[in-house]
mmCIF file of all heavy atoms in Angstrom:
data_model
loop_
_atom_site.group_PDB
_atom_site.id
_atom_site.type_symbol
_atom_site.label_atom_id
_atom_site.label_comp_id
_atom_site.label_asym_id
_atom_site.label_seq_id
_atom_site.Cartn_x
_atom_site.Cartn_y
_atom_site.Cartn_z
ATOM 1 N N ALA Q 58 113.976 219.008 218.225
ATOM 2 C CA ALA Q 58 113.388 218.394 217.027
ATOM 3 C C ALA Q 58 112.561 217.171 217.386
ATOM 4 O O ALA Q 58 111.470 216.956 216.843
ATOM 5 C CB ALA Q 58 114.486 218.021 216.038
ATOM 6 N N LEU Q 59 113.063 216.366 218.315
ATOM 7 C CA LEU Q 59 112.336 215.172 218.750
ATOM 8 C C LEU Q 59 111.017 215.555 219.419
ATOM 9 O O LEU Q 59 109.974 214.972 219.127
ATOM 10 C CB LEU Q 59 113.197 214.349 219.711
ATOM 11 C CG LEU Q 59 112.568 213.073 220.261
ATOM 12 C CD1 LEU Q 59 112.249 212.099 219.133
ATOM 13 C CD2 LEU Q 59 113.486 212.431 221.282
ATOM 14 N N ILE Q 60 111.051 216.560 220.268
ATOM 15 C CA ILE Q 60 109.838 216.997 220.961
ATOM 16 C C ILE Q 60 108.818 217.548 219.971
ATOM 17 O O ILE Q 60 107.623 217.229 220.044
ATOM 18 C CB ILE Q 60 110.185 218.044 222.040
ATOM 19 C CG1 ILE Q 60 111.027 217.389 223.139
ATOM 20 C CG2 ILE Q 60 108.928 218.670 222.624
ATOM 21 C CD1 ILE Q 60 111.721 218.369 224.060
ATOM 22 N N GLN Q 61 109.261 218.351 219.027
ATOM 23 C CA GLN Q 61 108.337 218.921 218.034
ATOM 24 C C GLN Q 61 107.731 217.831 217.152
ATOM 25 O O GLN Q 61 106.531 217.845 216.868
ATOM 26 C CB GLN Q 61 109.065 219.946 217.168
ATOM 27 C CG GLN Q 61 109.387 221.230 217.887
ATOM 28 C CD GLN Q 61 110.224 222.186 217.043
ATOM 29 O OE1 GLN Q 61 110.601 221.875 215.914
ATOM 30 N NE2 GLN Q 61 110.525 223.351 217.604
ATOM 31 N N ALA Q 62 108.550 216.876 216.718
ATOM 32 C CA ALA Q 62 108.031 215.793 215.866
ATOM 33 C C ALA Q 62 107.035 214.924 216.636
ATOM 34 O O ALA Q 62 106.020 214.498 216.083
ATOM 35 C CB ALA Q 62 109.189 214.950 215.338
ATOM 36 N N ALA Q 63 107.308 214.666 217.912
ATOM 37 C CA ALA Q 63 106.392 213.872 218.735
ATOM 38 C C ALA Q 63 105.080 214.618 218.961
ATOM 39 O O ALA Q 63 104.008 214.015 218.920
ATOM 40 C CB ALA Q 63 107.049 213.517 220.061
ATOM 41 N N ALA Q 64 105.166 215.920 219.179
ATOM 42 C CA ALA Q 64 103.953 216.717 219.407
ATOM 43 C C ALA Q 64 103.022 216.671 218.203
ATOM 44 O O ALA Q 64 101.803 216.638 218.353
ATOM 45 C CB ALA Q 64 104.326 218.162 219.730
ATOM 46 N N LYS Q 65 103.594 216.658 217.011
ATOM 47 C CA LYS Q 65 102.788 216.606 215.774
ATOM 48 C C LYS Q 65 102.536 215.165 215.329
ATOM 49 O O LYS Q 65 101.796 214.940 214.374
ATOM 50 C CB LYS Q 65 103.508 217.347 214.646
ATOM 51 C CG LYS Q 65 103.651 218.830 214.883
ATOM 52 C CD LYS Q 65 104.251 219.521 213.675
ATOM 53 C CE LYS Q 65 105.758 219.360 213.728
ATOM 54 N NZ LYS Q 65 106.480 220.080 212.688
ATOM 55 N N PHE Q 66 103.158 214.212 216.008
ATOM 56 C CA PHE Q 66 103.181 212.799 215.616
ATOM 57 C C PHE Q 66 103.517 212.675 214.135
ATOM 58 O O PHE Q 66 102.826 212.045 213.343
ATOM 59 C CB PHE Q 66 101.885 212.072 215.952
ATOM 60 C CG PHE Q 66 102.041 210.570 215.861
ATOM 61 C CD1 PHE Q 66 103.007 209.911 216.584
ATOM 62 C CD2 PHE Q 66 101.236 209.833 215.027
ATOM 63 C CE1 PHE Q 66 103.169 208.537 216.489
ATOM 64 C CE2 PHE Q 66 101.383 208.446 214.920
ATOM 65 C CZ PHE Q 66 102.352 207.801 215.665
ATOM 66 N N ASP Q 67 104.616 213.329 213.773
ATOM 67 C CA ASP Q 67 105.139 213.295 212.407
ATOM 68 C C ASP Q 67 106.027 212.060 212.289
ATOM 69 O O ASP Q 67 107.221 212.092 212.612
ATOM 70 C CB ASP Q 67 105.930 214.577 212.131
ATOM 71 C CG ASP Q 67 106.429 214.675 210.704
ATOM 72 O OD1 ASP Q 67 106.478 213.645 210.004
ATOM 73 O OD2 ASP Q 67 106.777 215.803 210.302
ATOM 74 N N VAL Q 68 105.426 210.954 211.843
ATOM 75 C CA VAL Q 68 106.111 209.667 211.826
ATOM 76 C C VAL Q 68 107.372 209.713 210.971
ATOM 77 O O VAL Q 68 108.429 209.215 211.388
ATOM 78 C CB VAL Q 68 105.163 208.543 211.350
ATOM 79 C CG1 VAL Q 68 105.908 207.235 211.179
ATOM 80 C CG2 VAL Q 68 104.016 208.379 212.340
ATOM 81 N N GLU Q 70 109.284 212.225 210.272
ATOM 82 C CA GLU Q 70 110.307 213.018 210.960
ATOM 83 C C GLU Q 70 110.869 212.246 212.153
ATOM 84 O O GLU Q 70 112.081 212.238 212.387
ATOM 85 C CB GLU Q 70 109.732 214.361 211.411
ATOM 86 C CG GLU Q 70 110.744 215.275 212.067
ATOM 87 C CD GLU Q 70 111.820 215.804 211.123
ATOM 88 O OE1 GLU Q 70 111.666 215.699 209.883
ATOM 89 O OE2 GLU Q 70 112.823 216.325 211.631
ATOM 90 N N LEU Q 71 109.998 211.585 212.903
ATOM 91 C CA LEU Q 71 110.462 210.788 214.033
ATOM 92 C C LEU Q 71 111.390 209.670 213.571
ATOM 93 O O LEU Q 71 112.423 209.405 214.190
ATOM 94 C CB LEU Q 71 109.276 210.202 214.803
ATOM 95 C CG LEU Q 71 108.470 211.194 215.634
ATOM 96 C CD1 LEU Q 71 107.147 210.582 216.071
ATOM 97 C CD2 LEU Q 71 109.270 211.662 216.838
ATOM 98 N N LYS Q 92 100.385 207.102 218.917
ATOM 99 C CA LYS Q 92 100.081 208.535 218.913
ATOM 100 C C LYS Q 92 99.928 209.067 220.335
ATOM 101 O O LYS Q 92 100.407 210.157 220.659
ATOM 102 C CB LYS Q 92 98.813 208.782 218.095
ATOM 103 C CG LYS Q 92 98.562 210.221 217.779
ATOM 104 C CD LYS Q 92 97.420 210.377 216.801
ATOM 105 C CE LYS Q 92 97.237 211.832 216.430
ATOM 106 N NZ LYS Q 92 96.205 212.033 215.439
ATOM 107 N N ALA Q 95 103.369 209.378 221.976
ATOM 108 C CA ALA Q 95 104.081 210.549 221.464
ATOM 109 C C ALA Q 95 103.542 211.826 222.094
ATOM 110 O O ALA Q 95 104.311 212.716 222.476
ATOM 111 C CB ALA Q 95 103.970 210.608 219.940
ATOM 112 N N ALA Q 96 102.223 211.919 222.232
ATOM 113 C CA ALA Q 96 101.610 213.102 222.840
ATOM 114 C C ALA Q 96 102.006 213.222 224.308
ATOM 115 O O ALA Q 96 102.328 214.317 224.789
ATOM 116 C CB ALA Q 96 100.089 213.044 222.697
ATOM 117 N N SER Q 99 105.726 214.301 224.473
ATOM 118 C CA SER Q 99 105.945 215.707 224.133
ATOM 119 C C SER Q 99 105.398 216.631 225.222
ATOM 120 O O SER Q 99 106.020 217.650 225.540
ATOM 121 C CB SER Q 99 105.340 216.048 222.771
ATOM 122 O OG SER Q 99 103.947 215.906 222.781
#
Side-chain angles (χ1 to χ4, degrees):
L59 180 62
I60 294 165
Q61 288 175 358
K65 295 185 278 185
F66 194 56
D67 184 342
V68 174
E70 183 68 14
L71 288 166
K92 192 171 183 177
S99 64

